[in-house]
C-alpha cells in the first residue's frame, strides 16, 4: 500500500504530465511528444490508484480482467480505425466516458459505505451534489455523443432535426434537472435519482439533434468538454485527485477549443451548446436550385494549367482524407516545386470532420510545416495566386457563406479560392458537402471541375506533369 502523501505527489506529477501533453498536442511538431507525456501520466495515475487501495479483494481480479479486455479492444480499434473515421471514434469514446461517470454515480448512490460517503438515505450532502452533477453531465455526454456518432457515420441525417416548441422543452428539462437535484439532496429518494438520470439521457438527445453537420466539429469539442466535467464531478465524489485534475483539464480545454472554433466559424458559443438555438432553416434558394452548367476537365487540362502557373495553393478537405490521397498529393507538389512553381497549403480550421484533421494527414505525408498555413494567414494570397487546387474541400470553400443570410453556413469564414485566376476542384460529383448545401464555387467561370477519385486524379496529374 502507498501512503496518502506519496499518492498525492504522484497524482500531482501525473497532472503536470497531462498539462505538458496538452501543450505538446497544440502543434503537429510536438504532438508525438505530447502523446508520450499523456501516456506516462495515465500509467502513473492508474498504478498509484491500484497501490492506494489497502486490501486487494477477489473483486480486483475482475477489475484487472476488464482493464485488460478494454485496453485490448481500444488498442485494436486504434490500429484499425482509418483517419477518416477519427471523429466518429472520438464521439464513441466520449459516450463511454459519460456512461462510466453514470455507472460510478449509481454505484456510489446504491452503496455509499464502500466509498466512505455515509449510508443509504444518509449520504453526505456535498457528495450527493457531486454525484448528481456527475451523473447528469455523464448521461448528457453519453446520449449526445451517440447522436453525434450516428450523424458523423451517416446513419442519421446530418441536417438539423427540429420541431415546434423544441427550445422550450429543452429549457424546461434543464430547469427540472436543477430542481430534481435539489429535492434529491433534501429527501435522498432513490426514485428522484433514477428520474434525474433518465431525463439527463433525454436532454442529451434533444440538445444534439437540432445541430447541423456544419457545426459538428464544434459539437465533438463540446462533448469532449462535457466528458471532462463529468469525470471531474465523479472525481470529487470518489475524492480522487487525479480524476479531478484530469477531468478539469479535459473540461476546460474542450470548452476553450469550442469557443475558439465558434469564433472562427462566426457561431454563437451559447447557441451551439444550447442545442442549435437560433438556427435558421436552409434557404429555399438552395433547396430548389436548378442544376447549372459546369466546366469539367481531365488530368491533362489540370497539369497544363499548373505547369504554366507561378504559384499554386493546395486546399485539402475531407475528400482527400477519404481517398487517402495525401501521399499522392505530396508527390504532385514535389513535381511542381522541381519546375520552380511556388506551392503552399491552405487549411481551414474545420476542414475535415474535426480540428487538426488535415494537419495530421499532411504531417503523415511529410509535408513541411512551413508550407502549411491557416485560413487567416493565407486567405489574402488567393487573389495573387494563379491556381487553387481544391482536393475534396467543400463547405469551407463555399462563397455562399458570404452572400446568403439564409444559408446554414452564413457568416462562417471560408477560404477565398474563387479569387484565384483558376480553380481546379477535385470531386467525385456535384453532391453537396456535409452541411447539405450546394457549392456556388462549382459554377464559377474560373472553376474547372475534375470529377474523379482524389487519389487517382492526383496521380494522373503528376504523370502529366
Amino acid at each position: 500500500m502507498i501512503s496518502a502523501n506519496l499518492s498525492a505527489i504522484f497524482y500531482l506529477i501525473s497532472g503536470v504530465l497531462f498539462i505538458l501533453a496538452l501543450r505538446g498536442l497544440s502543434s503537429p511538431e510536438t504532438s508525438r511528444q505530447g502523446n508520450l507525456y499523456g501516456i506516462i501520466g495515465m500509467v502513473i495515475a492508474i498504478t498509484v490508484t491500484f497501490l492506494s487501495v489497502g486490501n486487494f479483494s477477489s473483486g480486483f481480479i475482475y477489475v484487472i480482467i476488464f482493464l485488460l479486455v478494454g485496453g485490448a479492444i481500444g488498442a485494436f480499434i486504434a490500429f484499425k480505425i482509418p483517419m477518416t473515421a477519427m471523429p466518429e471514434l472520438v464521439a464513441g469514446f466520449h459516450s463511454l466516458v459519460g456512461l462510466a461517470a453514470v455507472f460510478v454515480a449509481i454505484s456510489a448512490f446504491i452503496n455509499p459505505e464502500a466509498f466512505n460517503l455515509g449510508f443509504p438515505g444518509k449520504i453526505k450532502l456535498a457528495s450527493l451534489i457531486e454525484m448528481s452533477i456527475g451523473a447528469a453531465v455523464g448521461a448528457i455526454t453519453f446520449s449526445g455523443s451517440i447522436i453525434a456518432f450516428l450523424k458523423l457515420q451517416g446513419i442519421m441525417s446530418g441536417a438539423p432535426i427540429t420541431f415546434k416548441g423544441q427550445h422550450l422543452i429543452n429549457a424546461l428539462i434543464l430547469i427540472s434537472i436543477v430542481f430534481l437535484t435539489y429535492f434529491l439532496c433534501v429527501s435522498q429518494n432513490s426514485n428522484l435519482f433514477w428520474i434525474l438520470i433518465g431525463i439527463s439521457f433525454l436532454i442529451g438527445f434533444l440538445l444534439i439533434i437540432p445541430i447541423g453537420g456544419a457545426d459538428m466539429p464544434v459539437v465533438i469539442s463540446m462533448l469532449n468538454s462535457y466528458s471532462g466535467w463529468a469525470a471531474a464531478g465523479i472525481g470529487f465524489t470518489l475524492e480522487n485527485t487525479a480524476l479531478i485534475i484530469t477531468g478539469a483539464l479535459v473540461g476546460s480545454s474542450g470548452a476553450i477549443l469550442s469557443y475558439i472554433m465558434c469564433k472562427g466559424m462566426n457561431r454563437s458559443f451559447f447557441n451551439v451548446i444550447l442545442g442549435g438555438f437560433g438556427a435558421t432553416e436552409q434557404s429555399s434558394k438552395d433547396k430548389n436550385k436548378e442544376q447549372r452548367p459546369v466546366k469539367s476537365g481531365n488530368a491533362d487540362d489540370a497539369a497544363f494549367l499548373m505547369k504554366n502557373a507561378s504559384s499554386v495553393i493546395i486546399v485539402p478537405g475531407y475528400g482527400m482524407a477519404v481517398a487517402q490521397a495525401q501521399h499522392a498529393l505530396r508527390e504532385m507538389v514535389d513535381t511542381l516545386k522541381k519546375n520552380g512553381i511556388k506551392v503552399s497549403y491552405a487549411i481551414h480550421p474545420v476542414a475535415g470532420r474535426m480540428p487538426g484533421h488535415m494537419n495530421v494527414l499532411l504531417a503523415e505525408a511529410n509535408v513541411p510545416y512551413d508550407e502549411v498555413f491557416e485560413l487567416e494567414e493565407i486567405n489574402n494570397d488567393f487573389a495573387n495566386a494563379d491556381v487553387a487546387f481544391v482536393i475534396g474541400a467543400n463547405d469551407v470553400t463555399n462563397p455562399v457563406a458570404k452572400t446568403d443570410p439564409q444559408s446554414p453556413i452564413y457568416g462562417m469564414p471560408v477560404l477565398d479560392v474563387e479569387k484565384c485566376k483558376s480553380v481546379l476542384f477535385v470531386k467525385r460529383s456535384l453532391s453537396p458537402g456535409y452541411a447539405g448545401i450546394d457549392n456556388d464555387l462549382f459554377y464559377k467561370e474560373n472553376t474547372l471541375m475534375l470529377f474523379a477519385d482524389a487519389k487517382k486524379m492526383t496521380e494522373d496529374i503528376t504523370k502529366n506533369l
Side-chain angles (χ1 to χ4, degrees), residues 87-421:
E88 292 96 308
L89 178 67
V90 172
F93 282 171
H94 287 167
S95 71
L96 297 179
V97 175
L99 194 61
V102 174
F103 283 157
V104 172
I106 292 172
S107 300
F109 185 81
I110 292 175
N111 189 14
E113 296 160 283
F115 299 89
N116 297 318
L117 304 177
F119 305 93
K122 293 183 180 179
I123 301 173
K124 297 175 187 176
L125 179 60
S127 299
L128 195 58
I129 294 172
E130 291 157 5
M131 74 173 70
S132 298
I133 294 173
V137 177
I140 292 170
T141 303
F142 172 75
S143 53
S145 297
I146 293 297
I147 296 297
F149 174 85
L150 294 175
K151 287 196 172 194
L152 288 166
Q153 191 68 17
I155 299 172
M156 176 183 286
S157 171
I161 300 173
T162 58
F163 54 86
K164 190 175 181 180
Q166 186 173 38
H167 299 307
L168 177 62
I169 292 173
N170 288 352
L172 290 174
I173 293 176
L174 288 171
I175 292 170
S176 68
I177 288 175
V178 175
F179 278 101
L180 278 169
T181 303
Y182 171 75
F183 288 116
L184 175 63
C185 293
V186 172
S187 66
Q188 301 206 14
N189 186 305
S190 60
N191 291 330
L192 293 178
F193 181 71
W194 295 113
I195 294 172
L196 173 66
I197 292 176
I199 64 171
S200 296
F201 279 126
L202 176 62
I203 192 63
F205 287 118
L206 295 176
L207 283 174
I208 305 302
I209 58 173
I211 300 177
D215 292 326
M216 200 49 62
V218 183
V219 173
I220 295 296
S221 177
M222 179 185 72
L223 290 169
N224 177 49
S225 178
Y226 286 177
S227 68
W229 296 125
I234 295 303
F236 279 107
T237 301
L238 302 180
E239 297 181 352
N240 186 294
T241 309
L243 201 53
I244 295 170
I245 293 173
T246 307
L249 283 172
V250 173
S252 56
S253 61
I256 292 168
L257 179 60
S258 299
Y259 174 76
I260 292 171
M261 290 175 65
C262 283
K263 190 175 179 181
M265 296 168 66
N266 197 29
R267 290 285 188 268
S268 167
F269 179 68
F270 290 103
N271 284 359
V272 174
I273 65 172
L274 293 176
F277 185 84
T280 58
E281 289 291 326
Q282 185 175 319
S283 69
S284 58
K285 175 186 173 184
D286 284 319
K287 292 178 180 177
N288 304 316
K289 184 178 287 186
E290 296 181 4
Q291 191 65 50
R292 292 180 281 169
V294 297
K295 290 191 294 183
S296 63
N298 53 35
D300 188 49
D301 299 323
F304 176 79
L305 284 170
M306 285 198 275
K307 268 193 290 191
N308 290 283
S310 59
S311 62
V312 175
I313 299 178
I314 310 292
V315 182
Y318 186 67
M320 183 192 77
V322 172
Q324 289 289 289
Q326 61 269 28
H327 296 285
L329 182 65
R330 168 68 194 272
E331 290 178 21
M332 186 191 82
V333 169
D334 287 344
T335 306
L336 288 171
K337 288 194 288 189
K338 285 177 183 177
N339 291 330
I341 299 167
K342 179 187 175 184
V343 183
S344 51
Y345 297 81
I347 306 294
H348 192 281
V350 293
R353 294 278 178 89
M354 65 188 300
H357 200 169
M358 294 301 105
N359 301 76
V360 172
L361 288 176
L362 294 178
E364 183 186 328
N366 295 316
V367 171
Y369 297 123
D370 58 0
E371 293 178 6
V372 181
F373 299 92
E374 299 296 329
L375 178 144
E376 63 274 6
E377 298 174 309
I378 200 169
N379 227 12
N380 292 330
D381 295 347
F382 283 104
N384 300 317
D386 294 310
V387 175
F389 186 74
V390 184
I391 178 167
N394 201 335
D395 295 326
V396 297
T397 63
N398 196 340
V400 79
K402 299 176 283 187
T403 58
D404 184 4
Q406 297 304 312
S407 170
I409 65 169
Y410 180 71
M412 183 180 84
V414 292
L415 293 162
D416 296 331
V417 293
E418 76 276 8
K419 294 181 179 179
C420 272
K421 292 176 184 175

